[in-house]
Each structure stands twice: as structure tokens, then as C-alpha cells.
Amino acid sequence: QVQLVESGGGLVQAGGSLRLSCAASGRTFSSYAMGWFRQAPGKEREFVAAISRSGGNTYYADSVKGRFTISRDNAKNTVYLQMNSLKPEDTAVYDCAARGDYSSIRESAYRYWGQGTQVTVSS
């Protein structure tokens, strides 16, 4: 089992940057593929980015490709989401998730979830 705690959210102006972090408990972090999802008010949760267990493969939603970067530090049990050129439509609660298998862009594939961190982008 793994517990996830996100941090780094906040209020930023359009065009600005934020870096989200997701710290995982346990000693087997490197055995989990990780993903970031987000849910805007009144909308369903959607896939943002995913990274393989080694960090060698990454996947992005088209809406964030070229602006967001997912990375991980297995020595620190942490996955990151660097968000640049933020837009008002990026406003959402961002969740990180873990699964003990290959990377996936499907929400239902992930077993463990954090509590979420709010990102608000003002125009």
C-alpha cells in the first residue's frame, strides 16, 4: 500500500508557472507508475500526465503537451508536475495517483490517490 500527499498548488496569473509535488510513503515507490489527473468545477476528472516506474516513459494529455512536464525522483519517493504557461482553463484540483503496474492514462487503472491540491489560474 502507498499513501500520497500532494503539495505546491496555489493561485497564479495566466502565463505563470507552478510545480506540484506528490510525496509517497513506503519503500517501494519505484514499483509504482504514477499519474496526475485534474478535475475542474462541474467537470469530470481528466488525465493530465503519467510516468513509468523508471521515469523513462512519459505521457501527456494533448491540452498540456509542451507546457507541463512530469518527472520523478525515486530516491525521494516523489513525483512532480512542472506546469508552465498556465491558462485559466488549467484551474482545477490536481490529484496524483499510483498503480503497481505499467503506466496508464485511464483513471480507473489507478488504485491509490492523494487528497488533491487546488490550482487556480487567474486571467
Side-chain angles (χ1 to χ4, degrees), residues 11-88:
L11 173 64
V12 64
Q13 289 188 332
S17 299
L18 282 174
R19 188 177 81 156
L20 305 183
S21 299
C22 175
S25 64
R27 295 176 292 178
T28 59
F29 178 69
S30 60
S31 65
Y32 292 93
M34 302 296 296
W36 284 98
F37 293 79
R38 67 186 183 186
Q39 187 168 20
K43 295 187 177 181
E44 294 186 351
R45 183 184 284 168
E46 64 176 0
F47 168 75
V48 175
I51 190 166
S52 62
R53 289 169 289 188
S54 68
N57 293 299
T58 57
Y59 309 88
Y60 297 94
D62 288 342
S63 59
V64 307
K65 202 171 293 183
R67 300 188 298 123
F68 291 10
T69 303
I70 188 171
S71 61
R72 66 189 296 161
D73 185 337
N74 285 344
K76 296 182 177 180
N77 285 11
T78 302
V79 62
Y80 304 98
L81 185 69
Q82 177 67 45
M83 305 185 296
N84 298 329
S85 302
L86 282 161
K87 304 175 181 180

Side-chain angles (χ1 to χ4, degrees), residues 7-13 17-20 83 86 90-92 94 117-122:
S7 61
L11 173 64
V12 64
Q13 289 188 332
S17 299
L18 282 174
R19 188 177 81 156
L20 305 183
M83 305 185 296
L86 282 161
D90 294 317
T91 295
Y94 284 70
T117 186
Q118 176 71 46
V119 172
T120 303
V121 185
S122 63

